[in-house]
Amino acid sequence: MQEESRSDCGCSCGGEGGEAGAEKRLGWHEYFMSVAHLISRRATCTRGHIGAVIVRDHNILSTGYNGAPSGLPHCNETTCRIYRSTHPDGTVEENCVNTIHAEINAIAMAAKHGVSIGEADIYITSSPCIHCLKVLINVGIKTIYYDKPYKIEHIDELLRLSGIRLVQVSPGANPTA
């Protein structure tokens, strides 16, 4: 039986698998950061939507977004309960009592499903707060990729001491990796 040859494959590649008219393929950083932004759309925090994706060897291990613990009322359903804390430099920070950050939720989901995340990387729509960074250090995350900076000055020393890399990646930048 002879195979049939067709030049109209139905994709936008130009017919014969060529590059004409083809969309540029996403790089790994852009792909994972885009996934983090998509995940952030599930967030229930009324103050910010953050998404996180834990990755190793170009495979997604776990995801998380900011919101209340499972089964408890979310801030978009009730009132946000804000508390204030003061950093040693005098900067006042406000956080919500109800919300678990995206990074912690991604770690919790990995633990819940028995997924090892040691030696992995994480993509987050904003750089981690100091509390999340401490947990990321303890679980063995090697590189933190983020889109928007969030109080990076508070985490500089911990980054330096821990050896974790912090790399800014924008979803539209398409860096090669």
Side-chain angles (χ1 to χ4, degrees):
M1 184 171 199
Q2 195 172 11
E3 285 187 34
E4 185 178 339
S5 174
R6 296 188 65 180
S7 64
D8 59 330
C9 66
C11 70
S12 62
C13 69
E16 300 262 355
E19 293 293 321
E23 278 190 47
K24 186 170 176 136
R25 186 175 186 202
L26 292 177
W28 287 113
H29 293 306
E30 185 177 17
Y31 170 68
F32 292 125
M33 190 58 73
S34 295
V35 171
H37 278 279
L38 180 63
I39 299 295
S40 75
R41 294 175 61 188
R42 289 274 309 150
T44 59
C45 178
T46 56
R47 299 176 62 214
H49 288 228
I50 308 299
V53 179
I54 300 175
V55 174
R56 187 175 49 235
D57 299 326
H58 297 149
N59 290 294
I60 295 173
L61 303 176
S62 185
T63 64
Y65 52 86
N66 54 332
S70 297
L72 299 181
H74 293 282
C75 292
N76 63 357
E77 300 168 344
T78 62
T79 316
C80 222
R81 297 183 331 168
I82 303 300
Y83 69 93
R84 293 173 189 242
S85 57
T86 306
H87 286 270
D89 68 1
T91 307
V92 175
E93 186 166 327
E94 293 184 343
N95 289 290
C96 177
V97 173
N98 300 339
T99 298
I100 299 173
H101 290 188
E103 304 92 309
I104 304 301
N105 270 327
I107 292 165
M109 285 298 107
K112 181 178 180 178
H113 296 288
V115 177
S116 171
I117 58 172
E119 304 290 317
D121 299 326
I122 190 167
Y123 289 79
I124 316 166
T125 55
S126 74
S127 57
C129 72
I130 194 166
H131 306 294
C132 288
L133 177 59
K134 290 185 280 187
V135 176
L136 293 171
I137 292 167
N138 271 5
V139 299
I141 294 295
K142 293 297 172 194
T143 304
I144 299 167
Y145 296 98
Y146 72 98
D147 183 6
K148 306 286 185 215
Y150 174 77
K151 299 183 180 181
I152 290 180
E153 64 279 3
H154 293 276
I155 62 174
D156 279 342
E157 185 178 5
L158 279 180
L159 287 168
R160 184 180 57 75
L161 293 171
S162 69
I164 290 181
R165 289 181 38 211
L166 183 69
V167 180
Q168 188 170 22
V169 173
S170 295
N174 200 13
T176 56

